[in-house]
Amino acid sequence: MRVRSLRLEQVRKEYPLHDGTIIRVLDGINITFNTGNTVAIMGASGTGKSTLLHILAGITKPTAGAVFYDEQNYALWNAQEWQHFYTHRIGLLFQQPYLIQELTVLENVMVKGMVAGGSSAELTEHAHHLLTIAGLADKANQLPGQLSGGQQQRVALMRALCVQPDFLLADEPTGNLDPETGERMLDVLLDCQQRWQMGIIVSTHDSYVAKRMDTVLTLEHGQLREND
Ligand SMILES: Nc1ncnc2c1ncn2[C@@H]1O[C@H](COP(=O)(O)OP(=O)(O)OP(=O)(O)O)[C@@H](O)[C@H]1O
Ligand SMILES: [Mg+2]
């Protein structure tokens, strides 16, 4: 597979506060992420890790600067191009699982593939396989509300992987997991990464997660720096 990229150019993000002042969360970030590479973004709570991932995913707009997928500027996309991007190019794992409460666990994992028009039998088999490697095969026909927070987060992760995206953007994928389960999820992620040369960008507070990524960056004072 040829290398694809996600690139931020001079990205700044500011939020207005209630008292009329403005906080600058990202301050002119320039960085390129490539498929085939794995990156951890660390940094204290509130430094802007989720904001950065949401900007890469296109669900938050930067105050200034530009974002590119494969050198195509997000600002120029129409609705169809956005749909293609979300369906095929990125898998997004939010800090909260955001599962669809009315669908079963299995259906939640399959949902993006169904939107993409995949064969139902193939998708069912694939989703079952993902739930099995995530240790959740016995939960396939339950509703999300019947699962623990960590189990829901694992379902959301499998949902993000089900369509084999070019990039996985995962916001604290092990946030609700004990280290042993977290390591098992990392095994699954990195196995998928190897199989289709996906790019992974994770935000994390867990050093055991960072240790397994190729590159570790820290977000601080609106800037990203590479750890030694
Ligand atoms: N929609 C918003 N409106 C105003 N301020 C916001 C908004 N979203 C985030 N912020 C502020 O931006 C800063 C960065 O938030 P963000 O959620 O990106 O941090 P984070 O690094 O992901 O933190 P954590 O490790 O706790 O998840 C925080 O100060 C937060 O209060
Ligand atoms: Mg966050």
Side-chain angles (χ1 to χ4, degrees):
M1 189 181 97
R2 83 174 165 83
V3 173
R4 296 178 187 274
S5 62
L6 281 177
R7 183 164 73 84
L8 299 180
E9 185 179 283
Q10 285 297 330
V11 163
R12 202 172 80 217
K13 182 65 187 177
E14 293 166 350
Y15 289 112
L17 298 181
H18 286 304
D19 63 4
T21 57
I22 283 176
I23 53 162
R24 183 171 293 183
V25 179
L26 305 177
D27 192 8
I29 292 196
N30 292 297
I31 191 161
T32 303
F33 301 99
N34 289 319
T35 51
N37 286 337
T38 61
V39 178
I41 298 174
M42 302 193 80
S45 176
T47 48
K49 301 177 298 299
S50 295
T51 301
L52 182 74
L53 289 175
H54 293 174
I55 287 176
L56 283 167
I59 56 172
T60 295
K61 279 203 169 67
T63 309
V67 191
F68 302 84
Y69 168 78
D70 226 14
E71 291 310 310
Q72 301 161 48
N73 191 334
Y74 287 14
L76 304 177
W77 288 354
N78 60 29
Q80 203 181 354
E81 286 164 317
W82 276 116
Q83 193 189 342
H84 185 78
F85 178 68
Y86 285 122
T87 312
H88 298 284
R89 300 307 187 194
I90 59 161
L92 183 56
L93 178 76
F94 290 95
Q95 206 162 341
Q96 304 297 329
Y98 294 131
L99 299 176
I100 302 169
Q101 298 301 316
E102 293 81 1
L103 299 182
T104 65
V105 162
L106 183 75
E107 289 162 345
N108 265 282
V109 175
M110 292 166 62
V111 75
K112 273 181 81 173
M114 286 158 72
V115 171
S119 131
S120 177
E122 259 173 47
L123 271 172
T124 306
E125 192 184 324
H126 187 44
H128 261 300
H129 171 69
L130 286 170
L131 286 173
T132 303
I133 57 180
L136 294 168
D138 57 333
K139 305 288 184 198
N141 296 315
Q142 292 194 310
L143 293 172
Q146 298 168 306
L147 272 56
S148 73
Q151 288 168 338
Q152 290 187 38
Q153 191 68 340
R154 282 186 276 160
V155 173
L157 188 56
M158 296 308 116
R159 175 178 62 185
L161 292 172
C162 193
V163 291
Q164 304 202 352
D166 292 345
F167 285 95
L168 175 75
L169 306 175
D171 202 354
E172 302 195 24
T174 57
N176 291 322
L177 305 179
D178 62 276
E180 197 183 318
T181 311
E183 289 279 9
R184 228 174 48 227
M185 283 305 97
L186 284 173
D187 292 340
V188 172
L189 277 190
L190 293 173
D191 177 57
C192 291
Q193 193 271 332
Q194 287 291 311
R195 278 194 286 127
W196 66 85
Q197 287 301 296
M198 176 172 65
I200 297 183
I201 307 163
V202 290
S203 82
T204 187
H205 292 286
D206 294 331
S207 55
Y208 73 86
V209 176
K211 270 196 197 112
R212 296 188 61 183
M213 300 293 140
D214 299 329
T215 305
V216 183
L217 305 172
T218 297
L219 184 57
E220 199 176 26
H221 308 306
Q223 299 283 335
L224 276 175
R225 64 173 167 77
E226 193 160 342
N227 291 19
D228 301 326

